[in-house]
Each structure stands twice: as structure tokens, then as C-alpha cells.
Amino acid sequence: MKQSLTSQITAGIGMAVALLIFNAATSYRNTLKLLENERWVDHTHRVLIELEATLSTLKDAETGERGYLLTGEERYLEPYNSAIARVNEQIVGLQQLTADNNRQQQRIRDLKIAIDSKLAELEGTINLRREQNLEAALRRVKSGRGKQIMGDIRQQIAAMTAEETKLLQQRARESQASANLTILTFTVAALVNFLLMVLVYYLVKRDRTLRDNAEIKQNQLLEQLEQDRHSLELTQERLRRAILDAPLPIMLHAENGEVLQINCAWTELSGYQHSEIPTIEDWTEKAYHSRKSVVQADIDRLHQLNARISEGEYMIATASGESRIWDFYSAPLGKLSDGRSLVISTAIDVTARKQAEAEIRMLNATLERRVELRTNQLQAANEELESFAYTVAHDLRAPLRGMQGLAEALLEDYRDLLDELGQEYAQQIVNSGQQLEALIQDLLAYSRLSRTDLSLQVLELESAVAEAIAMVQADAKSTGAQISVRSPLPAVIAHRVTLVQVIANLLTNAIKFVEGASPQVQIWAEEIELPQEGETNSATAGELERGRVGQWEHSQLLITSRELPFHIIRLWVEDNGIGIAPEHQKRIFRVFERLHGIESYPGTGIGLAIVKKGSARMGGQVGVESQLGQGSRFWINLRKA
């Protein structure tokens, strides 16, 4: 009976252990499959993130191109240049991430062709802006070629994203199925194991009547010890495998310098096997050569620490003779059984990063030298242009004054000898000379605005307007013009001489272009708030669409905070003149653009061009609102003080 009961207990325990092993093996296999599925899910997420990053990089390139088209300044190309540097790396990353998917590989090749076309289109537009002008670049933009290419890129990325999303859903389902199977297997095995244990318990319960209590306790103790030993062995094996298979170099070394373990990554990166560096002294001899004593002292100090420490970067020599830079971290692991302290040291190979940093520093130095050289060349060109302008003006004035003097002398000394037609011809020579003199003066003023460095400062708009009114006072009296100023006028940031000239030119136009009535001119100012970067309100959008907003040139108003809107002062000059047709409102700010003959309204056709140039040089803009026969309202935007 006892033998039969013992056999039954043994069989029950054997079945329970077998079931436990089966459950462990099944759970381990399902867990591996679950981990593999999770790895592929994570891989798919990385592909989706990289696709989104690639599209974002192209948007950055477009942003840099648009900024450069609007301003013509090279610094706005920084997002474009950075995008070009990143996009190829991102394409390579996508090719590596989708190496297992032939369809995605083909799509990436097609995507790369489309991206190259987009970058070529952006570069062509930038070259047109740089070599010709904004209008040439805008014509290329309006052709829709860039938008079409970007649409193709979006479709390709959308297709790849859909493919990866489909894979993600499939792998998520597989992962969930694997998890459910693991739970089901574990639950069923646990239930069966529980039933077997209940059976064993029943048999043991019966056996207790035949066995001594001490023997039962002894058996239970031995069973527990076996389980603990097995758990300890499993833990030790896991720890050993974790160290050996870790992606970073790892070394375990004892207080007396013995190297207990190095992992595979250490051997792969340094080239040294454990048998070649059994001690710290051997390692420092091979890896550090003449610096071995210093490094040896640093390593010895690690055994005095009680917390994790970052040792810093060290240059090591590999078995192949190559120099690498490793960033070391170490932490104490307590005491060994013989009392020696144990330290774990890990390293990160930062050689590539250091090389990249050195290359960046070299590129920055080269760029600074090129910028300095280009600046000197531009300065020399400006000086040469200024000298040329003054020389031409001087050479034109000399014969002009001679012609004027001779014509005036002819009228004074020989008027009686000339008939009425001859006197008229001579007078026209004098008038033409005066017009040419005024034209030369205006051209010089316009040229100076383009070259002169303007020092912007805070000034009262009231005083600038008053000074401009004083400049046109003679014309106002001769025409009976009434100029009224609506106070208060706030302080602005501007260049005083330039601002006074701009306002005076606007007042001159307001007085000049009036028919059948005395000129009535109104001047006032208002504060307006422009939207944050990336926003455009409906009113501003309408002005841009109708061409009423002037071109921003050298505008400091564009450099604003992303968090705060910026405030400007808009100065208005309103008249009761003949008005300007909408189709001509862009032309009037160009050099030599005249809507009327000089016999109707005198002038050189440069006054409003000076207004536009002067406003732009002060970081502002100019525009007009007008209808034929209903007067005009000119405005200039200035930075609020």
C-alpha cells in the first residue's frame, strides 16, 4: 500500500513538474514571439516617424525658399540648407528601416526621385531670385510645378504611410493574438497544474498518516531548496547573458585588477579577447600605451566609490592600431565572496560624434572667412558705385549748367532779336535744363537711400511731420492748400532725415495732383497689431491679394517673436486729388513711372520711389488706397517705439 501510494505521489509530482516545464517552455516561446511582434510594431512606428520627419524636412526647405524669395537675404536659406543636409540622411534611414519590404523599397526609390526633383525646383527658384529678380522667381512658383511635385511627394508618403499603418495593424493583431495565446496557455496549464497539485495534496495528505512529521518537513525543505537553487541559477544565467549580449561595451573587474568578464561588444569594438586582457594592467598596457599609469590610477579609484560615476572620455588604441574615443561610466557592484570590491564599467564609442563636431567647427571657420570676404567685396562694390554715381552727376551738371546759362543769356541779351517762336524755344531749353537738374538731384537722393547706412532711433512723429510741412510750405501757399494734422502722433523708430523726406514727398504729391479745388490734406496715425508668425488675418490677406501692401525690403519688422504679435504705427496722408485707378497703384512706386504728362503735372517720376525705398530702409512698408476722382490715402508703416 505504501509503495503504491508513493508511486502515485511520484507520478503526480512528475506530471506537475512536466506540466510546469511545458508551461514554462510554451510561455517562453510565446513571450519570444510577443517580443518579436512588439519589435516589429516599434520598427513600423519608427518608419512612420521617419516618413513624417522627411515630409517635415521638405516643408522646412520650402519655408527657407519662401523666406529668401520674400526678403532676398541669404540667412533665410538656413532652413533650406539644413533640410537638404537632413533629407538624404532620412531617405537612407528609410531604406534601411524598410529593407525587408520590397514594395516600400521601390516606393522609397520613387520618393527619392521626386524629392530630388523638388530640391532641384527649389534650387532653380532660389537661383532665379538670386540672379534675376523676385518676379522671375514668382513666375516659376506660379507655374505650379513645385506644388505638383510636392503633391506627388505627399501622395507617395501617404501611400507608404498607409502600407506601414496596415503592417502596424497586422502586427498589432499578431501581438495581441500572441499575448492572448500566452494568457490562455498559462491559464489552462495553471488550472491543470492546480488540479494535479490538489491530487498530489490529497495523496500527500493520505501519506501523512504513514510518515513521520519530521520526514514530511524534511522533504518540504529539500523541495524548497531545490526551487531556490533553480531560481538562482536562472537569475545568474540571465545576468550573464544580459552582460554578454549588451549593445555597449561592458567590463567587470575586481579590486586587485582582475578582469572577471568582458562582453561581446567590448571585444568587437576594441579587438581584444578576454584572454588577451585578463587584468586591468594588461588592458591599460594595450589600450593606453604611455598613458597607462594615469589611466590605471583612475581605474583604481573606482573601487573607492559608493555610487555611479561618469569617468569622461578616453582615447584608446584598438587591436588593429586604430584610435577610438570611448566615454566611460562605472558603478560599484558590492563585494565578492573573497572580500574584493566589484565594479562594472561601460563605455560608449563617441568617435564618430567627435569627428562630426570637428568637421562642423572647420566648416564654421570656413564659412566665416567666406562671409568676411564677401562683405569686403560688397563694400568695395558699393564704394565704386557711389563714386560712379557722383562722377556721372558731376559730369552731367557741367554741360547742363553751360546750356542753361547760354539759354538764359540768349533770352536776356538777344530777346529783341528773336521772334516769338525763338523766344519760346529758348525758354523751353531753360525749362528742360531745370527739369534735368531736378531729375539728377532726385536720382542722387534715391541712390543715397540704397547705399547709406541708416541709424534708426526713437523720434517723435509730431516733430518729423512738422518739419516736412515746413519743407512744402511754399507749394502749399501758392496753391492755397490746407494741411491739418490730427493729434496725437506717437513716437516711432526711424531715421529722422529719411522719414522727413518720405513725408514731404507724400505731401508734395497730395498738393500737386488736385484739380478744380484747393488741396485739402489730412494727416493722422493709428496703431495696428500684425498677427503672429504663421497667422494672417482677413484684412491683411485682402491687402496682399490686391497688391496694396508694399514690398518689405531689409525689414526689421519681420524678425518677431513666435509668441508675441508685433505692433506698428501706420501714418496716413489723405488728399482730395484726382485719385489713382486700382490697376495703376503698383506702378506709381516705381522709378520714372508717371501716369500723367509733365505738361499736366510737373515732376521727375522718382518721388514715390523714394518714399518706398526710404520706408523699406527704415524697416517699414508703404501703400495706397484710392479711386479715380475720389482722392487718395497713402500710408506708411513704422515700428512703434
Side-chain angles (χ1 to χ4, degrees), residues 157-172:
I157 290 180
M160 295 178 67
T161 302
E163 175 76 13
E164 292 298 326
T165 302
K166 180 179 179 182
L167 288 174
L168 178 62
Q169 294 172 349
Q170 176 184 347
R171 289 163 179 169

Side-chain angles (χ1 to χ4, degrees), residues 427-573:
Q427 186 61 48
Q428 286 185 4
I429 293 174
V430 174
N431 294 341
S432 297
Q434 292 173 349
Q435 292 170 7
L436 184 55
E437 177 71 20
L439 178 60
I440 292 173
Q441 292 291 347
D442 286 349
L443 281 174
L444 286 175
Y446 186 81
S447 176
R448 280 193 296 270
L449 275 179
S450 299
R451 301 188 310 271
T452 304
D453 291 333
L454 301 185
S455 177
L456 302 184
Q457 59 185 358
V458 177
L459 57 88
E460 293 297 331
L461 198 52
E462 293 269 8
S463 62
V465 170
E467 186 175 343
I469 293 174
M471 290 176 64
V472 300
Q473 194 63 42
D475 292 340
K477 286 183 178 180
S478 65
T479 58
Q482 297 293 325
I483 303 176
S484 60
V485 181
R486 192 184 307 167
S487 296
L489 298 180
V492 296
I493 298 176
H495 183 256
R496 185 175 188 84
V497 175
T498 303
L499 179 59
V500 170
Q501 183 179 10
V502 166
I503 299 173
N505 284 14
L506 290 178
L507 291 175
T508 300
N509 269 32
I511 295 171
K512 182 193 307 181
F513 294 99
V514 178
E515 284 185 354
S518 297
Q520 302 293 324
V521 183
Q522 299 285 334
I523 302 175
W524 76 94
E526 62 179 348
E527 180 179 339
I528 63 176
E529 179 179 300
L530 294 187
Q532 297 182 15
E533 183 177 345
E535 301 176 3
T536 303
N537 59 32
S538 59
T540 304
E543 290 182 349
L544 287 170
E545 182 178 351
R546 293 190 297 272
R548 286 162 45 186
V549 178
Q551 295 293 328
W552 290 86
E553 298 178 14
H554 310 287
S555 176
Q556 299 178 18
L557 294 177
L558 290 177
I559 307 173
T560 62
S561 169
R562 288 183 177 271
E563 291 79 13
L564 297 176
F566 57 94
H567 299 262
I568 64 173
I569 301 300
R570 177 167 287 183
L571 179 67
W572 292 89
V573 177

Side-chain angles (χ1 to χ4, degrees), residues 47 51 91 94-95 98 101-115 152-153 155-167:
V47 174
L51 286 171
I91 290 296
L94 284 172
Q95 289 175 333
T98 59
N101 192 326
N102 291 331
R103 283 194 300 179
Q104 294 290 64
Q105 287 284 296
Q106 180 59 45
R107 286 173 177 159
I108 290 174
R109 286 191 288 270
D110 295 339
L111 177 62
K112 187 175 188 307
I113 293 173
I115 289 176
D152 293 341
I153 291 174
Q155 290 178 357
Q156 292 175 5
I157 290 180
M160 295 178 67
T161 302
E163 175 76 13
E164 292 298 326
T165 302
K166 180 179 179 182
L167 288 174

Side-chain angles (χ1 to χ4, degrees), residues 53-65:
T54 302
L55 183 59
S56 176
T57 300
L58 289 177
K59 292 179 181 177
D60 290 344
E62 282 193 327
T63 300
E65 178 221 28

